[in-house]
Amino acid sequence: MIKAILIFNNHGKPRLSKFYERYSEDTQQQIIRETFHLVSKRDENVCNFLEGGMLIGGADNKLIYRHYATLYFVFCVDSSESELGILDLIQVFVETLDKCFENVCELDLIFHVDKVHNILAEMVMGGMVLETNMNEIVTQIDAQNKMEKSEAPTGSKQYHPTRGQCLQLPAPPPRLRKKPRSLTLWCQPLIASSKCTYRH
Amino acid sequence: MSRVGKSKEAEIKRINKELANIRSKFKGDKALDGYSKKKYVCKLLFIFLLGHDIDFGHMEAVNLLSSNKYTEKQIGYLFISVLVNSNSELIRLINNAIKNDLASRNPIFMCLALHCIANVGSREMAEAFASEIPKILVAGDTMDSVKQSAALCLLRLYKTSPDLVPMGEWTSRVVHLLNDQHLGVVTAATSLITCLSKKNPDEFKTCVSLAVSRLSRIVSSASTDLQDYTYYFVPAPWLSVKLLRLLQCYPPPEDTAVKGRLIECMETILNKAQEPPKSKKVQHSNAKNAILFEAISLIIHYDSEPNLLVRACNQLGQFLQHRETNLRYLALESMCLLAGSEFSHEAVKTHIETVINALKTERDVSVRQRAADLLYAMCDRTNAPQIVAEMLSYLETADYSIREEIVLKVAILAEKYAVDYTWYVDTILNLIRIAGDYVSEEVWYRVIQIVINRDDVQGYAAKTVFEALQAPACHENMVKVGGYILGEFGNLIAGDPRSSPLVQFNLLHSKFHLCSVPTRALLLSSYIKFVNLFPETKTTIQDVLRSDSQLRNSDVELQQRAVEYLKLSSIASTDVLATVLEEMPPFPERESSILAKLKKKKGPGTVTDMEEGKKEQTEVNGGVEPAVNASTVSTPSPSADLLGLKSAPAGGGSLLVDVFSDAVPATGALAPGSEDNFSRSLDLPGESPASLLVDATLGADTVTTVPAAGSEDPALPVPDADDLLNKFVCKNNGVLFENQLLQIGIKSEYRQNLGRMYLFFGNKTSVQFLNFTLNVSCPGELQNELNIQAKPVEPIVEGGAQVQQVINIECLSDFTEAPLLNIQFRYGGTVQNITLKLPITVNKFFQPTEMASEDFFQRWKQLSSPQQEAQKIFKANHPMDTEVTKAKLIGFGSALLQDVDPNRDNFVGAGVIHTKSIQVGCLLRLEPNSQAQMYRLTLRTSKEAVSKRLCALLSQQF
């Protein structure tokens, strides 16, 4: 079973947390910090598995993670999951994000919290793998987008949180169809090219 | 967000502003349109993600659930599955909305509802839906996507509340989902069946043949057959893995046709591993190998096909040298399991050089740890010397995080496969030399036990420790072992003038002043044994015992030993001495407590399995285990102490007991007359050491087991009473205790040496508590140190009601124990009796003192005698967060001094503890080492007991 799915950036800022077991809100934050601490001090190109931190069950659980550009994707799983299987699942997740957001980058995760959750929900449910077929997932998400469009009242604002909607930040770097690649790290695509490779 | 919030404060300010804005929008008169609701709920989610509490918006989210618009419904469900606690009051409203959506026959709404149930997974939801979901799952007209979700939803409910999921007619139909057209449905169903069949294997037995045929169809399909479920040219890797996992729930199929088909599958999988890859992408090889590793797990699980086992082993052997770190890691892990099989143990052993090399050269500590595990698993009589030697040499450079575990492993292997015990003694002494700090008590207890039980090794042991002690700097554990062994067997090497009795004594005594109190206590016992072994050393030793530093030692234990041993040596006749101080009798054989410790450390599963595997294997090989073997029968007794000591961590009192109480029964052959003589001769005028001895022996037990003098039948403090106490060291308010009946809350305030504590007793049931009585007691010495007045309470507590008790506390002098609170009441027919430790600790009477850097260091220097300082080095139990640490130190009571310590990472504090009789000035310093995840805590106060107590209390907090 997958106990938790965490995404945080190179500085430990959480970008997504999804717990499939009950932890208090404080514990959740501590787990994120602990996990960041464990994962971030590891070199690149060591192995992608390590024993879980104390808070999330210690050696009975494994952390399986991948590092893409500015983000760490960490799955905390128990012994009933296949390590390599989960590693591939992370890849499917990121590739799906990449398809849905076109060159996904950290900013997308900040401004589309709900979308990321919805995509994840198509893949993992209650801690178990629901669907692994990327086309199927993308089809579902497209269908959702269509319904969203059809439901948007005419004349009202389209839901487009990148335009300074979320938290009314000072306007984020302009980014619509084409994302500037070098503006800030936040805009760095997670997957270097459309070929979906990652270093290893 | 992080860009806006340059600092933590700015971020909090920004977020509070935003929260206020959202709150006003929700509360405002104008009804929000769906889009705005959605927008604000999204913002709340993001704020929650950053770690801020969200205490509103739940109702708005619940309202979104009943919207007809998909987008609104979706965001409502999202909010609820992230933010709503399972015992929320809103659960009824939520359940209602879910019920409507499940009945809507709109597949998208049904999926949302099922997701919500699976993600929250509370008992209330199980009660409401557990009987509904199987119907949805097996109904003929259910859409594939809904079936998928329903299967996993049911799985989740079964995991949280298995009693609420009724088995029934649906189970056989679920098994047939393995034949479904849609691979997504099959994957979900396989997960569900795997979980269900663990508890009801017979009910789901038929899944084996269905799983085999499904697997065989996937494995033999071409890489394009399964279209979208082909991942980087590997057909349906996740489903294959799940099916192989499912098969691991059952023994090999009995039906020969099914079995033949399955073996064919495994062979195909093993063959494919040898084929050239269809793609150079790492995803391709990952997916392929995920299946391969799972197949190997199944082969190991069956443990009946020698041919496949050896092939699996060879395959893993290839991976051991693979350039992918992940594969090396997994290969080492799987090989650990293979090493336990009689068929493949020898094959695994052929890879020893590779594994040793991995231990030495891998860059990643996770991989090195697996290599160490594998070496441990593949060790047997033939390769033990090599493996132990390699592990020992690895210890010199090993990562701190795994040193203790490696020490335990070396100790166990050295004992288990010791052909001659001189090798064993050498190994353990090397272990102490190389990694002394990581050698736990169990390890050195064990070496002593073995030396005492085997007389062929005693002389060698004495000679070896004597040589080891000659090193200019040797670890304290070495001194302990040395002291003990020379005290028992020093006579065996005394013939050599280079190790004459006096030389031995001087060597031991040269270490004395560098050692901690428990070690010194042990050395004193060795000295008195020397008096018996070598009468010529008597005067020298008496001089030592008589010196002020012993007779007037501020440590009670040391002082008492010095006094008693001095008297014993001067008064008792040689016969009596010889009897009292006779050599230790052999210990009864029992399970090595090192093994128990390793099991505890690694979790019960892993080690036991490995050990059991080993046991089978040795039976098969007809290997004869050495006589003093760690029994492999698992009776885990973590606290089993080898020396038969009462497990008192300080070790002081119990070591004393051990010299006498264990030695005396050993002289069971004493004639009645001499026994008489023995007791009379100890009956000394003036001070009575005999009775002191008795006190010391009993004292250790009585203090801990009879907590409350006065109350007739006190319940023992609840086992975690000390944890409860620790919880309140740095805070004054909170929940002290809770069970099904009763909740006890606590609020307290302290000024100078006075305190007041409010205890709130809440009756959680709907029934009265009768004869409700509270009794606060101060065990032992504490009576003179604390003055506690508790006001009486009403004897009846109504159901659901709360009573309050006020306790006034006056601190008379410093103290270490905690007062006990005994609660008795009658609930229904039974008397409840609970004893807790009241969280009144000496630090509560702290008054912070601000001081400048110079003052601090001046005072620090003034408090430099060893008795005034208490120091502890310990592992961090919580993430090392500076702010949290600061808060804890302030909660502890001392002032937190800024800019005092030259190292900015360190924390220093100062304060005065107020008691009626004295005031104790305290300085503290906490040095975090985030790399090692350790802390060093130093306390200096004008009073030894206070330093120790504060150090013990505070060191539990990080």
Side-chain angles (χ1 to χ4, degrees):
Chain A
M1 178 186 171
I2 300 168
K3 300 288 169 92
I5 295 173
L6 308 174
I7 305 178
F8 38 72
N9 71 9
N10 291 348
H11 306 288
K13 280 274 171 199
R15 292 303 175 221
L16 174 94
S17 69
K18 180 80 196 162
F19 289 86
Y20 296 100
E21 287 205 326
R22 270 298 146 199
Y23 294 101
S24 75
E25 283 148 31
D26 280 352
T27 319
Q28 291 188 8
Q29 288 298 322
Q30 280 174 16
I31 289 175
I32 296 175
R33 276 203 295 273
E34 184 188 48
T35 310
F36 170 69
H37 188 87
L38 287 171
V39 170
S40 63
K41 68 177 179 203
R42 293 170 61 82
D43 292 340
E44 293 289 335
N45 69 37
V46 293
C47 81
N48 300 70
F49 324 120
L50 66 156
E51 286 181 358
M54 293 313 292
L55 291 169
I56 200 141
D60 295 342
N61 286 334
K62 277 214 173 89
L63 300 176
I64 297 170
Y65 74 99
R66 250 179 189 179
H67 190 193
Y68 293 91
T70 60
L71 292 180
Y72 287 96
F73 287 67
V74 187
F75 280 42
C76 176
V77 304
D78 66 12
S79 60
S80 70
E81 298 289 342
S82 149
E83 288 94 345
L84 289 173
I86 294 293
L87 206 54
D88 280 339
L89 192 69
I90 299 177
Q91 176 73 11
V92 172
F93 183 33
V94 176
E95 284 183 31
T96 311
L97 288 173
D98 198 53
K99 277 199 177 165
C100 295
F101 290 115
E102 300 178 33
N103 283 340
V104 65
C105 67
E106 187 177 345
L107 264 188
D108 294 310
L109 272 69
I110 299 175
F111 289 119
H112 300 278
V113 188
D114 56 332
K115 278 261 159 60
V116 179
H117 269 286
N118 292 341
I119 294 169
L120 188 59
E122 293 298 327
M123 300 180 61
V124 179
M125 175 174 163
M128 301 301 295
V129 179
L130 177 67
E131 184 58 74
T132 53
N133 175 349
M134 204 188 321
N135 292 337
E136 181 105 17
I137 300 165
V138 175
T139 314
Q140 294 285 346
I141 298 294
D142 283 347
Q144 289 177 14
N145 289 342
K146 259 186 209 135
M147 271 197 280
E148 195 177 305
K149 272 196 190 121
S150 70
E151 283 174 358
T154 45
S156 90
K157 299 170 277 183
Q158 278 288 311
Y159 178 61
H160 204 306
T162 43
R163 292 198 173 149
Q165 298 277 349
C166 255
L167 288 178
Q168 295 167 349
L169 299 172
R175 184 227 122 220
L176 288 170
R177 286 289 105 198
K178 283 201 96 177
K179 294 176 188 180
R181 289 238 168 141
S182 55
L183 205 57
T184 70
L185 269 181
W186 288 20
C187 297
Q188 191 179 340
L190 297 184
I191 300 182
S193 70
S194 55
K195 281 185 236 147
C196 302
T197 50
Y198 77 111
R199 268 180 295 161
H200 259 269
Chain B
M1 180 55 86
S2 61
R3 204 164 50 117
V4 182
K6 284 253 157 48
S7 66
K8 192 89 187 156
E9 289 74 26
E11 182 188 301
I12 290 173
K13 211 170 142 195
R14 180 78 188 78
I15 279 173
N16 284 338
K17 196 174 150 207
E18 189 61 38
L19 283 175
N21 175 36
I22 300 173
R23 202 190 300 258
S24 72
K25 287 282 193 303
F26 280 156
K27 292 264 152 65
D29 312 326
K30 222 169 56 183
L32 289 174
D33 59 26
Y35 166 75
S36 309
K37 274 192 218 160
K38 179 173 166 171
K39 182 176 83 183
Y40 292 125
V41 168
C42 268
K43 287 185 181 186
L44 288 181
L45 281 178
F46 188 68
I47 292 172
F48 176 76
L49 173 67
L50 291 178
H52 301 272
D53 277 351
I54 303 292
D55 53 1
F56 68 99
H58 299 77
M59 202 57 215
E60 284 72 15
V62 173
N63 286 337
L64 286 175
L65 294 187
S66 40
S67 162
N68 280 326
K69 286 192 177 158
Y70 169 71
T71 37
E72 293 180 12
K73 204 185 264 296
Q74 189 187 37
I75 197 83
Y77 273 123
L78 175 55
F79 184 92
I80 281 160
S81 56
V82 174
L83 269 167
V84 171
N85 220 312
S86 54
N87 51 17
S88 159
E89 297 149 22
L90 294 170
I91 211 89
R92 212 168 299 155
L93 291 171
I94 297 169
N95 277 358
N96 221 2
I98 291 177
K99 193 164 279 171
N100 289 336
D101 282 335
L102 284 183
S104 70
R105 308 188 63 80
N106 174 338
I108 295 178
F109 287 5
M110 288 172 85
C111 280
L112 283 178
L114 289 168
H115 267 104
C116 183
I117 301 174
N119 287 334
V120 176
S122 68
R123 198 161 171 88
E124 288 88 345
M125 285 196 174
E127 276 163 5
F129 303 110
S131 53
E132 188 63 24
I133 296 182
K135 290 180 203 154
I136 299 177
L137 176 59
V138 297
D141 57 348
T142 307
M143 302 259 302
D144 286 339
S145 62
V146 179
K147 264 191 207 164
Q148 245 171 310
S149 301
L152 294 187
C153 183
L154 188 60
L155 167 55
R156 178 61 195 262
L157 292 185
Y158 185 77
K159 276 191 173 168
T160 47
S161 323
D163 53 316
L164 294 178
V165 178
M167 292 295 133
E169 180 258 345
W170 59 272
T171 54
S172 60
R173 298 174 66 180
V174 164
V175 173
H176 282 278
L177 288 179
L178 290 178
N179 273 334
D180 201 282
Q181 293 282 314
H182 190 279
L183 287 194
V185 174
V186 185
T187 310
T190 312
S191 297
L192 175 64
I193 297 167
T194 306
C195 178
L196 291 173
S197 62
K198 276 186 187 138
K199 290 214 179 99
N200 321 283
D202 289 339
E203 191 132 3
F204 292 91
K205 227 170 25 199
T206 46
C207 73
V208 174
S209 60
L210 289 174
V212 170
S213 65
R214 187 92 219 191
L215 181 69
S216 138
R217 267 178 284 158
I218 297 172
V219 170
S220 56
S221 66
S223 56
T224 47
D225 285 358
L226 300 169
Q227 291 168 0
D228 287 349
Y229 284 89
T230 298
Y231 175 83
Y232 288 90
F233 306 104
V234 182
W238 285 278
L239 179 54
S240 310
V241 165
K242 292 268 177 219
L243 289 168
L244 287 162
R245 280 270 154 142
L246 171 59
L247 291 171
Q248 287 172 53
C249 299
Y250 287 91
E254 281 158 19
D255 184 326
T256 45
V258 177
K259 190 173 180 184
R261 208 167 170 193
L262 181 57
I263 288 177
E264 215 171 278
C265 282
M266 314 266 224
E267 279 168 348
T268 316
I269 295 171
L270 285 167
N271 291 341
K272 276 191 181 173
Q274 299 299 331
E275 288 170 12
K278 294 199 175 69
S279 153
K280 286 214 172 86
K281 295 255 168 52
V282 70
Q283 284 85 351
H284 171 71
S285 68
N286 273 355
K288 205 164 105 176
N289 292 328
I291 302 173
L292 178 60
F293 275 109
E294 218 49 68
I296 291 176
S297 293
L298 185 62
I299 293 170
I300 297 170
H301 167 76
Y302 286 166
D303 198 14
S304 58
E305 301 292 326
N307 184 21
L308 287 176
L309 279 164
V310 170
R311 277 193 74 182
C313 185
N314 293 340
Q315 182 61 54
L316 293 178
Q318 283 182 18
F319 283 153
L320 285 183
Q321 317 217 31
H322 202 279
R323 61 189 169 80
E324 277 274 326
T325 318
N326 287 337
L327 291 183
R328 296 198 300 273
Y329 175 97
L330 293 173
L332 289 166
E333 195 177 55
S334 295
M335 246 192 199
C336 268
L337 299 173
L338 270 181
S341 161
E342 54 173 298
F343 301 113
S344 50
H345 183 80
E346 288 303 317
V348 170
K349 273 168 62 187
T350 58
H351 298 289
I352 184 165
E353 294 302 334
T354 319
V355 183
I356 287 172
N357 198 35
L359 189 66
K360 285 179 179 160
T361 57
E362 281 289 349
R363 289 175 49 217
D364 184 353
V365 57
S366 310
V367 186
R368 289 196 296 270
Q369 173 144 27
R370 291 289 154 271
D373 285 347
L374 178 54
L375 281 182
Y376 177 74
M378 67 161 67
C379 190
D380 64 15
R381 186 75 52 77
T382 61
N383 55 19
Q386 185 189 7
I387 286 179
V388 166
E390 290 295 346
M391 282 180 145
L392 268 177
S393 78
Y394 172 59
L395 254 182
E396 312 216 19
T397 54
D399 312 76
Y400 294 108
S401 54
I402 59 174
R403 276 195 189 179
E404 188 182 352
E405 199 183 309
I406 297 206
V407 167
L408 292 175
K409 285 185 168 144
V410 170
I412 290 169
L413 293 178
E415 178 186 334
K416 192 166 180 177
Y417 299 112
V419 184
D420 82 87
Y421 277 82
T422 55
W423 175 71
Y424 170 75
V425 170
D426 284 340
T427 305
I428 300 293
L429 292 184
N430 265 334
L431 201 58
I432 295 174
R433 217 189 49 234
I434 294 169
D437 282 340
Y438 298 87
V439 173
S440 54
E441 290 190 329
E442 286 85 351
V443 173
W444 74 263
Y445 286 175
R446 187 74 184 167
V447 67
I448 285 174
Q449 190 184 8
I450 286 177
V451 168
I452 285 176
N453 284 9
R454 301 195 63 92
D455 42 20
D456 53 334
V457 78
Q458 288 161 354
Y460 181 78
K463 179 164 161 281
T464 322
V465 291
F466 178 78
E467 280 160 10
L469 283 175
Q470 274 166 336
C474 62
H475 194 272
E476 195 167 331
N477 280 336
M478 186 70 89
V479 179
K480 286 180 184 162
V481 175
Y484 206 108
I485 289 185
L486 291 182
E488 296 291 332
F489 309 113
N491 55 332
L492 299 177
I493 56 168
D496 190 327
R498 283 167 301 177
S499 54
S500 72
L502 262 178
V503 175
Q504 286 185 38
F505 171 75
N506 287 333
L507 180 61
L508 277 183
H509 198 56
S510 69
K511 313 284 179 193
F512 187 88
H513 302 279
L514 304 168
C515 292
S516 65
V517 169
T519 310
R520 290 190 198 184
L522 186 147
L523 285 178
L524 287 179
S525 297
S526 302
Y527 296 171
I528 191 71
K529 290 222 159 192
F530 268 51
V531 171
N532 174 44
L533 286 181
F534 316 117
E536 67 266 37
T537 60
K538 186 167 164 180
T539 45
T540 321
I541 288 174
Q542 281 176 334
D543 285 345
V544 168
L545 292 175
R546 205 177 287 124
S547 71
D548 272 359
S549 63
Q550 308 297 352
L551 274 190
R552 304 208 175 152
N553 196 300
S554 64
D555 186 272
V556 184
E557 177 62 37
L558 292 182
Q559 192 186 60
Q560 187 177 345
R561 282 191 189 216
V563 172
E564 285 168 4
Y565 291 162
L566 185 59
K567 285 283 179 203
L568 188 65
S569 69
S570 48
I571 289 165
S573 68
T574 33
D575 283 356
V576 172
L577 268 185
T579 317
V580 173
L581 301 170
E582 204 192 25
E583 189 179 300
M584 292 289 279
F587 291 90
E589 291 301 330
R590 51 187 128 170
E591 184 194 19
S592 160
S593 59
I594 310 176
L595 208 54
K597 183 165 171 130
L598 185 66
K599 277 179 196 164
K600 207 170 128 195
K601 215 173 146 54
K602 292 291 270 186
T606 45
V607 181
T608 324
D609 291 347
M610 219 134 73
E611 288 307 316
E612 272 159 15
K614 269 278 153 52
K615 193 172 71 178
E616 284 168 22
Q617 180 243 324
T618 44
E619 276 162 14
V620 171
N621 293 353
V624 184
E625 300 287 300
V628 191
N629 187 7
S631 144
T632 41
V633 183
S634 71
T635 44
S637 52
S639 65
D641 44 10
L642 294 158
L643 294 182
L645 307 178
K646 299 277 175 289
S647 54
S654 44
L655 278 167
L656 180 67
V657 176
D658 115 52
V659 171
F660 290 91
S661 62
D662 278 356
V664 173
T667 60
L670 274 178
S674 65
E675 192 178 5
D676 210 359
N677 187 18
F678 167 67
S679 50
R680 206 175 320 124
S681 64
L682 277 177
D683 198 7
L684 301 162
E687 299 170 334
S688 146
S691 64
L692 265 177
L693 283 178
V694 174
D695 277 351
T697 339
L698 291 179
D701 296 2
T702 43
V703 172
T704 49
T705 53
V706 186
S711 80
E712 285 175 5
D713 177 26
L716 291 174
V718 291
D720 47 2
D722 281 317
D723 293 342
L724 296 176
L725 197 65
N726 285 331
K727 211 173 107 186
F728 284 92
V729 167
C730 292
K731 63 178 189 174
N732 287 332
N733 307 327
V735 175
L736 175 63
F737 172 80
E738 183 156 12
N739 65 11
Q740 287 96 345
L741 308 176
L742 179 70
Q743 187 191 47
I744 307 176
I746 210 164
K747 259 183 144 172
S748 48
E749 53 196 29
Y750 295 89
R751 266 188 79 184
Q752 306 270 344
N753 68 325
L754 299 176
R756 177 171 290 172
M757 182 177 273
Y758 300 88
L759 290 168
F760 301 91
F761 300 87
N763 181 345
K764 288 170 69 179
T765 69
S766 51
V767 186
Q768 279 183 340
F769 291 165
L770 299 172
N771 300 343
F772 189 78
T773 44
L774 301 172
N775 181 17
V776 181
S777 58
C778 295
E781 271 298 287
L782 198 58
Q783 288 169 19
N784 310 323
E785 295 162 347
L786 277 185
N787 183 4
I788 295 191
Q789 286 173 338
K791 302 200 170 141
V793 290
E794 289 291 315
I796 293 176
V797 187
E798 297 292 339
Q802 193 182 59
V803 296
Q804 180 188 339
Q805 185 181 37
V806 186
I807 297 175
N808 288 322
I809 307 146
E810 184 184 15
C811 179
L812 303 174
S813 72
D814 60 283
F815 59 97
T816 26
E817 290 301 314
L820 297 171
L821 169 68
N822 178 257
I823 306 144
Q824 287 188 24
F825 57 91
R826 185 175 284 279
Y827 165 74
T830 54
V831 175
Q832 306 287 326
N833 191 346
I834 301 164
T835 301
L836 301 169
K837 288 189 175 175
L838 271 183
I840 302 173
T841 44
V842 70
N843 64 300
K844 299 290 179 195
F845 303 96
F846 242 128
Q847 292 285 313
T849 320
E850 291 292 340
M851 59 177 79
S853 180
E854 296 149 25
D855 290 348
F856 182 87
F857 282 110
Q858 195 190 348
R859 286 176 208 218
W860 185 260
K861 278 187 202 122
Q862 281 165 5
L863 295 171
S864 59
S865 89
Q867 291 88 23
Q868 292 169 328
E869 178 178 292
Q871 190 173 73
K872 207 162 171 183
I873 298 172
F874 53 94
K875 266 211 149 64
N877 284 322
H878 303 284
M880 299 176 81
D881 184 304
T882 310
E883 292 307 316
V884 176
T885 308
K886 279 185 184 167
K888 281 182 179 163
L889 286 172
I890 290 169
F892 190 64
S894 63
L896 193 63
L897 303 178
Q898 303 289 348
D899 306 323
V900 168
D901 199 298
N903 181 347
R904 311 209 59 164
D905 292 337
N906 293 347
F907 304 91
V908 292
V912 176
I913 292 204
H914 288 257
T915 75
K916 195 177 176 193
S917 56
I918 50 163
Q919 300 196 347
V920 185
C922 310
L923 302 176
L924 72 87
R925 186 181 196 195
L926 178 71
E927 298 157 272
N929 177 345
S930 56
Q931 204 149 35
Q933 288 286 298
M934 306 273 283
Y935 288 99
R936 179 162 71 187
L937 173 66
T938 315
L939 269 138
R940 289 191 176 179
T941 78
S942 45
K943 206 163 171 208
E944 184 184 9
V946 177
S947 302
K948 281 188 174 160
R949 183 58 181 161
L950 290 178
C951 186
L953 285 172
L954 192 56
S955 61
Q956 297 295 323
Q957 300 298 316
F958 300 100

